[in-house]
Amino acid sequence: MKKLSALILLFSAFSGGLSAQTETKLYEPGTKAQLVAKQFSFTEGPAVDKKGNVYFTDQPNNKIWKYDTDGKLSVFMDSAGRSNGMYFDKKGNLITCADADNQLWSISPKGKVTVLLKDYEGHKFNGPNDVWVRPDGGIYITDPYYQRDYWTRKQPDLDGQKLYYLAKGKAPAVIVNDQFVKPNGIIGTPDGKYLYVADIGDNKTYRFDINKDGSLTNRKLFIAMGCDGMTIDRLGNIYMCGQGVTIVNPQGEKIGHIDIDEPWTANICFGGKDMDTLFITASKAVYTFKMNVKGVN
C-alpha cells in the first residue's frame, strides 16, 4: 500500500507539474499576432470547418469571407444577412446569427440558406449575437440588443436580453436563462457538459451545467469579467475577446493575455490544418496567432 500510495503521489505531482507547465507554455515567448488583412469595415464571427478553414464576417459590408488552410482569402457569401456570430454543426452547415432581420440561419456548404428561427412567440428577436452548437446539434443563442443603423425599428420587441436554446429539429426556441444585463460571447465544452456565457453588460462570465434536454442548471460566476466572443482549447482554457485576448484557465484564473493592436477584438476561434492557430477578428482586421495547444471547435 505504501508503494502504491507513493506511486499515486508521484503521478499526481507529475500531472500537476505538467498542467502548470502547459499553462505557461501555451505559446512560445515572443509570439506576436500576425496581420492577415485589413480591408474590412468590422470583422466578426469566426468559425472553423472540419478541415481547418475559417469563415468570418464583415458585418457592415454584409459578407462572409473564407480564409483557407493555405492562407487564401475569398468571399464565401454576399448578402449574408448581416451575419454576426457563427458556428459549424457536424453536418458542415454554418449556423449564423443573421442580424439583418434578427434571425438564425443555417447555410449549407453550397450556400443554401435555411431560416431556423425568425421570432420568439411572434416577437422579433433583439438581434441574435453569438451561437454555440452542442455535440447533439442543439443550439444556444445569445440575444442582446444593439441598435443597428440598418434597422427601421428603434426599440426592442422583447422584454429583456436573454439566452435561448433550439433543440435539434425542434422549433420554437425556449428561454434557458434570463438573468443577464447584456449576454454576448458563448462557448461550450466539447463533451457538452458545460456552457460559458459572457454578460458583457455586467462585466461577468458564468458557467452552467448543461442538462440532456438542453436546460441549464448550477449557474456559477466563472470570472468577474465580461467579453465579446470566446473560444476554448483542449486543456479547457477559455479565450475571451475585448481589449486583446485574455486567457483564463478552467478555474477562472487569468493565465495570459495576447495584445492586438486594434481598437476592439471582437471574436476568435482555432483554425488551420492542425487546429493550433488562433484566428482573431479585430475591428477592420483579421489576425492569426500560433499556439502550442489545439482548439476543440
Side-chain angles (χ1 to χ4, degrees):
M1 288 297 292
K2 288 183 178 179
K3 184 176 181 181
L4 179 59
S5 299
L7 285 171
I8 291 171
L9 287 171
L10 179 63
F11 177 77
S12 298
F14 174 78
S15 299
L18 181 63
S19 175
Q21 184 183 45
T22 304
E23 288 178 352
T24 59
K25 292 189 177 180
L26 293 174
Y27 51 86
E28 294 301 319
T31 302
K32 302 291 184 182
Q34 301 298 308
L35 178 66
V36 173
K38 199 170 186 176
Q39 64 193 58
F40 313 103
S41 292
F42 191 81
T43 56
E44 252 288 5
V48 63
D49 67 14
K50 292 179 180 179
K51 295 180 180 179
N53 304 304
V54 175
Y55 294 68
F56 66 97
T57 74
D58 184 1
Q59 192 179 31
N61 290 320
N62 201 17
K63 297 181 187 296
I64 296 175
W65 286 76
K66 177 182 178 181
Y67 179 70
D68 70 21
T69 54
D70 293 321
K72 180 183 176 182
L73 273 173
S74 60
V75 175
F76 170 68
M77 177 178 280
D78 283 307
S79 300
R82 303 274 188 173
S83 288
N84 195 341
M86 305 192 296
Y87 204 91
F88 276 95
D89 69 15
K90 287 189 174 182
K91 292 183 178 180
N93 300 307
L94 186 58
I95 309 302
T96 81
C97 296
D99 200 48
D101 202 26
N102 312 110
Q103 297 176 342
L104 186 72
W105 286 6
S106 173
I107 306 174
S108 76
K110 293 184 178 180
K112 181 183 177 181
V113 173
T114 301
V115 178
L116 300 178
L117 290 173
K118 62 179 182 179
D119 59 45
Y120 176 73
E121 295 184 344
H123 297 278
K124 190 180 289 290
F125 283 105
N126 292 322
N129 183 277
D130 208 355
V131 57
W132 179 69
V133 183
R134 77 180 201 173
D136 71 351
I139 301 171
Y140 293 92
I141 313 111
T142 57
D143 188 44
Y145 188 86
Y146 291 100
Q147 182 66 48
R148 307 300 192 190
D149 57 12
Y150 45 83
W151 290 347
T152 56
R153 62 173 172 152
K154 301 299 179 184
Q155 61 184 22
D157 197 29
L158 286 168
D159 179 22
Q161 304 180 52
K162 302 168 186 177
L163 176 67
Y164 295 84
Y165 175 69
L166 177 65
K168 183 180 179 181
K170 294 182 180 179
V174 297
I175 297 169
V176 285
N177 197 268
D178 60 1
Q179 300 300 306
F180 298 103
V181 176
K182 191 179 288 291
N184 195 306
I186 186 170
I187 195 68
T189 56
D191 58 9
K193 291 184 178 180
Y194 303 107
L195 185 71
Y196 296 87
V197 184
D199 188 347
I200 199 168
D202 197 29
N203 202 31
K204 293 180 175 66
T205 297
Y206 296 93
R207 192 184 85 168
F208 296 86
D209 292 349
I210 301 174
N211 300 319
K212 187 176 181 180
D213 64 356
S215 62
L216 303 175
T217 52
N218 199 23
R219 169 178 156 136
K220 289 184 177 180
L221 179 65
F222 175 62
I223 187 171
M225 172 184 169
C227 74
D228 205 329
M230 299 191 288
T231 195
I232 187 171
D233 68 24
R234 292 189 182 180
L235 300 176
N237 300 308
I238 308 295
Y239 296 69
M240 305 174 66
C241 291
Q243 297 299 327
V245 179
T246 300
I247 307 172
V248 183
N249 70 16
Q251 290 74 47
E253 302 162 336
K254 296 180 183 180
I255 59 172
H257 188 272
I258 299 171
D259 293 325
I260 305 294
D261 189 20
E262 299 292 343
W264 185 251
T265 302
N267 217 323
I268 189 169
C269 74
F270 278 88
K273 293 177 181 178
D274 297 320
M275 288 292 289
D276 61 353
T277 300
L278 287 173
F279 186 91
I280 303 162
T281 58
S283 300
K284 297 181 178 182
V286 288
Y287 291 81
T288 58
F289 191 92
K290 187 68 168 63
M291 300 292 293
N292 290 333
V293 64
K294 296 184 179 185
V296 299
N297 41 338

